[in-house]
Amino acid sequence: MRRYPLILAAMCAAGSVRAQIGVGTGVTPETFGVGAEERKKEALPPVDPVALAASLAFDATTWTQLQVSTTAPQEMTRLLRKGYYRLELVQMTMLAKESSATFKAIEADREKGVKFRDIAAKRGVDYEALYERALAEDRRVEERYLPAVLSIRISTSPAAGKRPKPDTGPR
């Protein structure tokens, strides 16, 4: 009969040890997969097709120069969900690139309610010329990249991933 209190005490101690295992060791419950699926679901929302199309208008060097920490389509999706328009995203990207500013710096000014014209003036960029180039780029996104992105089809049928058997001739 004396074993039951010892087992109960060991179980209580194990619960508190599990809660404290991450302190100073770098090993946490997440290391063993606890909660990993929930974090994956929260980490990356699906990419918006408009965001993907807008991000494709600029090369990888541009996104590196603008210090976009996530992928460009993810960043654009986040801003679209905040209420930004596609043309605004193109303008922000071009303004950041031409003024050698980070994308986050331009976004921070916009979040404060500063107009593009004022941001451009503050950073020494001709806003009228920038706006004309942004309109042309936005048309290119609409005419070239968006149809290409929207035309991608994904089949969900079980046989979609299987290759057809080659015809070996008459039997």
Side-chain angles (χ1 to χ4, degrees):
M1 291 298 274
R2 292 181 75 141
R3 286 188 214 170
Y4 293 116
L6 291 175
I7 292 174
L8 182 60
M11 288 173 57
C12 291
S16 65
V17 168
R18 181 174 180 258
Q20 297 176 9
I21 194 169
V23 178
T25 63
V27 178
T28 63
E30 288 81 19
T31 305
F32 303 105
V34 177
E37 289 299 318
E38 290 78 19
R39 279 196 326 279
K40 282 182 184 177
K41 290 177 186 175
E42 293 174 348
L44 297 174
V47 172
D48 187 279
V50 173
L52 178 59
S55 69
L56 289 173
F58 302 97
D59 61 359
T61 305
T62 299
W63 295 116
T64 302
Q65 176 188 351
L66 301 183
Q67 298 177 10
V68 174
S69 59
T70 59
T71 64
Q74 288 291 335
E75 188 70 17
M76 296 285 196
T77 297
R78 182 182 66 79
L79 292 173
L80 281 172
R81 291 189 178 147
K82 285 177 81 173
Y84 285 80
Y85 293 103
R86 185 181 66 220
L87 178 59
E88 287 180 294
L89 299 178
V90 171
Q91 283 179 292
M92 287 173 64
T93 306
M94 293 176 82
L95 183 55
K97 184 177 180 179
E98 290 183 26
S99 66
S100 299
T102 65
F103 193 78
K104 289 286 184 190
I106 303 298
E107 180 189 353
D109 285 344
R110 288 296 291 162
E111 289 293 317
K112 293 175 189 171
V114 181
K115 295 179 181 180
F116 277 119
R117 183 178 306 280
D118 297 334
I119 298 171
K122 179 175 89 171
R123 300 188 181 275
V125 175
D126 178 16
Y127 177 71
E128 296 300 325
L130 174 87
Y131 183 71
E132 290 301 319
R133 287 191 308 277
L135 280 175
E137 193 65 36
D138 186 54
R139 274 192 303 275
R140 189 171 77 118
V141 168
E142 185 176 350
E143 294 169 0
R144 180 177 177 191
Y145 295 111
L146 194 56
V149 168
L150 293 176
S151 68
I152 296 172
R153 304 240 191 276
I154 298 174
S155 176
T156 57
S157 69
K162 297 181 182 176
R163 290 185 172 168
K165 292 182 182 179
D167 186 15
T168 56
R171 292 184 182 175

